[in-house]
């Protein structure tokens, strides 16, 4: 009997928790940047503590909506009660909420008087833009890409952050 050709075995797929971490990190960072850039105090005095709370609550609502939509979209006849699978799906969206915390911290720093609210927004946008590079780079490396391709992927993600920064400058 002739020998069968060797078929390369593909690398093991990464666990879904890592995929959710990367997705939530990128999504949450973009969400936080967009929300921070949208802050506008033309009609009153700055209130960075309120703005930080607003961003945190918006991220909680977004995570809840995303988890719920994910649970509904993947509903199957697996015997798991809908309530249990939905709660589990919502709770796995914690990376989205964690990704907004640097923006919330920057705004709370403004509340404490470390800098003005505009400075806090600038700091948050800078941190988030660098974080987007890191998220993209990490996601590409996890997917098995080399250092060059991972750097390009990180750079493309970083462009999303830079787009928000430029939009913020043009709008204000």
């Amino acid at each position: 009997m002739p020998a069968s050709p060797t078929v390369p075995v593909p690398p093991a797929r990464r666990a879904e928790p890592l995929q959710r971490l990367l997705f939530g990190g990128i999504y949450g960072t973009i969400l936080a940047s967009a929300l921070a850039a949208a802050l506008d105090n033309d009609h009153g005095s700055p209130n960075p503590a309120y703005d930080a709370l607003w961003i945190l609550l918006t991220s909680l609502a977004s995570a809840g909506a995303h988890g719920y939509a994910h649970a509904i979209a993947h509903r199957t006849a697996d015997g798991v009660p809908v309530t249990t699978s939905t709660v589990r799906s919502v709770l796995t969206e914690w990376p989205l909420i964690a990704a907004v915390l640097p923006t919330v911290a920057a705004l709370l720093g403004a509340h404490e008087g470390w800098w003005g609210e505009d400075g806090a927004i600038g700091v948050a946008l800078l941190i988030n833009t660098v974080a987007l590079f890191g998220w993209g780079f990490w996601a590409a490396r996890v997917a098995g890409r080399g250092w060059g391709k991972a750097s390009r992927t990180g750079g493309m993600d970083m462009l999303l952050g830079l787009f928000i920064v430029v939009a913020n400058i043009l709008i204000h």
Side-chain angles (χ1 to χ4, degrees):
M1 183 185 283
S4 63
T6 305
V7 177
V9 177
R13 291 190 73 186
R14 300 290 178 171
E16 185 176 332
L18 182 57
Q19 293 169 349
R20 283 188 181 248
L21 172 68
L22 293 168
F23 173 84
I26 292 169
Y27 187 86
T29 302
I30 292 170
L31 176 67
S33 295
L35 292 172
L39 293 175
D40 186 5
N41 293 307
D42 291 342
H43 303 293
S45 61
N47 188 345
Y50 172 82
D51 292 341
L53 180 62
W54 179 75
I55 288 175
L56 185 61
L57 291 176
T58 301
S59 72
L60 287 167
S62 295
H66 185 266
Y68 179 74
H70 188 76
I72 296 301
H74 292 94
R75 185 173 290 167
T76 62
D78 60 2
V80 176
V82 173
T83 304
T84 304
S85 66
T86 302
V87 169
R88 187 177 314 125
S89 183
V90 169
L91 291 176
T92 61
E93 297 299 326
W94 69 265
L96 190 156
I97 298 162
V100 305
L101 294 180
T103 301
V104 170
L107 288 166
L108 292 177
H111 176 71
E112 292 298 315
W114 298 348
W115 44 60
E117 185 166 22
D118 287 341
I121 292 169
V123 166
L125 292 176
L126 175 66
I127 290 169
N128 291 346
T129 299
V130 171
L132 283 170
F133 175 85
W135 286 118
F137 182 85
W138 187 18
R141 291 295 293 158
V142 165
R145 304 293 188 263
W147 291 94
K149 286 185 179 182
S151 294
R152 285 191 296 277
T153 301
M156 292 303 294
D157 279 9
M158 192 169 89
L159 285 177
L160 292 170
L162 292 174
F163 173 77
I164 293 169
V165 168
V166 169
N168 183 47
I169 292 168
L170 293 175
I171 290 170
H172 291 102

